[in-house]
Amino acid sequence: LYSLALSNNNINSIQAGSFNNLNKLKELKLSYNLLQELNSGMFLGLDNLTKLDLDDNKISEISYNTFEHLENLEILKLEYNFILTIEPFTFAKLTFLTELYLSKNKLNKITVNMFTGLHNLKRLKLSENKIASIENNSFIDLNSLQHLSLSLNRLKSLEFGTFFGLKNLVTIDLSNNQLQRIDNRTLEGVELLEDIDLSGNPLDEYIEKNVFNQFRKSINSLNLSFIEANPSDFINFSLFEELVTL
């Protein structure tokens, strides 16, 4: 058996070892159920699983040993849940993970070691949570990440060091937050950005001159729609004059 779909079944618990004999399984769908907790033995035996779909459950917390038996996992979907906290090192053994979906949960902050070990992750979606803060170096292990979505959260500021480690990031979506300022250190550590979305933010406090110049050879798309900054900021600061790839 290579694929097992158990979606839409009102499943509220799974006993440890339930999948113990499915060592050839590649894909497991458990979406649209009533799971609230994920215990450490739930996925025992799924040594070759590459895709796990847990979207649309009632999950509120993820502990550090939840995925310890899924070392070959490549895609993990946890959207439309009630996740408030993710313990440090929860994903540390998922070294082959390339896509992680955590949108539409209730996360209120991103902390150091939350994403430790995810050296091969290429896509991370954190949109539509309640994220108000991101600790410095939270993304330090994500040196392969290309796409990061943080839209529709509650971010008011981004400190120097927030994006350290994201040297291969291509797209970043920060739209519809509460960001008040962008300066030359906001995106420090990111080198290859092609697509930046800052639409729907106030940006009414400060937009620093030449803030986007570090991406002048790579950027293809810049979205500053629906912001409250003074239009003269764009003219006086010459925000776009060196963006030759736009």
Side-chain angles (χ1 to χ4, degrees):
L1 187 66
Y2 291 96
S3 180
L4 176 60
L6 295 168
S7 302
N8 291 287
N9 277 305
N10 294 319
I11 297 169
N12 56 28
S13 65
I14 298 175
Q15 292 183 354
S18 295
F19 304 114
N20 206 26
N21 296 318
L22 300 179
N23 59 347
K24 292 184 179 180
L25 198 69
K26 295 286 188 182
E27 182 176 355
L28 177 59
K29 295 181 180 180
L30 287 162
S31 55
Y32 297 97
N33 280 296
L34 302 173
L35 293 170
Q36 296 183 38
E37 297 180 1
L38 303 177
N39 61 67
S40 61
M42 183 182 292
F43 304 114
L44 187 66
L46 299 177
D47 300 335
N48 292 299
L49 198 71
T50 59
K51 183 176 181 179
L52 177 59
D53 187 350
L54 290 159
D55 285 352
D56 283 278
N57 276 277
K58 307 289 185 183
I59 302 163
S60 60
E61 185 177 348
I62 304 177
S63 60
Y64 76 95
N65 56 3
T66 298
F67 305 112
E68 63 180 346
H69 303 294
L70 300 177
E71 295 183 4
N72 287 303
L73 201 64
E74 297 176 7
I75 300 173
L76 178 56
K77 303 184 70 178
L78 287 157
E79 296 184 318
Y80 294 95
N81 277 286
F82 298 89
I83 300 169
L84 289 164
T85 58
I86 299 174
E87 291 186 10
F89 307 105
T90 290
F91 306 114
K93 293 188 177 181
L94 304 183
T95 55
F96 291 103
L97 200 70
T98 59
E99 299 178 25
L100 177 56
Y101 298 90
L102 287 162
S103 296
K104 300 181 190 301
N105 278 285
K106 296 184 181 298
L107 293 168
N108 56 31
K109 61 183 177 180
I110 302 299
T111 57
V112 174
N113 297 321
M114 184 178 284
F115 302 116
T116 295
L118 298 179
H119 297 289
N120 286 304
L121 197 69
K122 290 182 169 56
R123 185 179 297 274
L124 176 58
K125 293 197 69 176
L126 292 161
S127 55
E128 294 189 61
N129 277 275
K130 300 177 184 297
I131 300 168
S133 65
I134 302 174
E135 291 183 4
N136 286 355
N137 296 313
S138 291
F139 303 122
I140 198 69
D141 272 10
L142 306 185
N143 43 38
S144 296
L145 197 70
Q146 296 178 357
H147 308 283
L148 175 61
S149 178
L150 284 158
S151 62
L152 291 158
N153 278 290
R154 299 178 179 179
L155 293 167
K156 292 185 177 181
S157 63
L158 297 169
E159 303 302 323
F160 174 65
T162 297
F163 299 113
F164 277 8
L166 301 181
K167 61 181 181 180
N168 287 302
L169 197 67
V170 175
T171 67
I172 186 167
D173 187 352
L174 290 161
S175 62
N176 295 293
N177 277 275
Q178 300 168 24
L179 294 173
Q180 297 176 326
R181 62 178 294 158
I182 296 290
D183 60 42
N184 289 335
R185 306 182 80 187
T186 300
L187 295 169
E188 188 79 26
V190 184
E191 302 172 4
L192 302 172
L193 272 180
E194 296 178 6
D195 189 339
I196 304 172
D197 193 343
L198 288 162
S199 61
N201 283 284
L203 292 177
D204 53 354
E205 188 174 300
Y206 191 61
I207 303 177
E208 191 167 356
K209 181 180 180 181
N210 302 325
V211 67
F212 302 117
N213 282 4
Q214 59 188 308
F215 313 116
R216 60 185 177 274
K217 294 183 179 179
S218 63
I219 192 167
N220 293 316
S221 176
L222 175 60
N223 192 346
L224 292 168
S225 304
F226 300 104
I227 66 173
E228 299 173 15
N230 189 324
S232 65
D233 289 346
F234 299 137
I235 300 171
N236 295 339
F237 290 175
S238 302
L239 288 178
F240 317 121
E241 64 181 1
E242 294 191 31
L243 303 183
V244 295
T245 56
L246 273 178

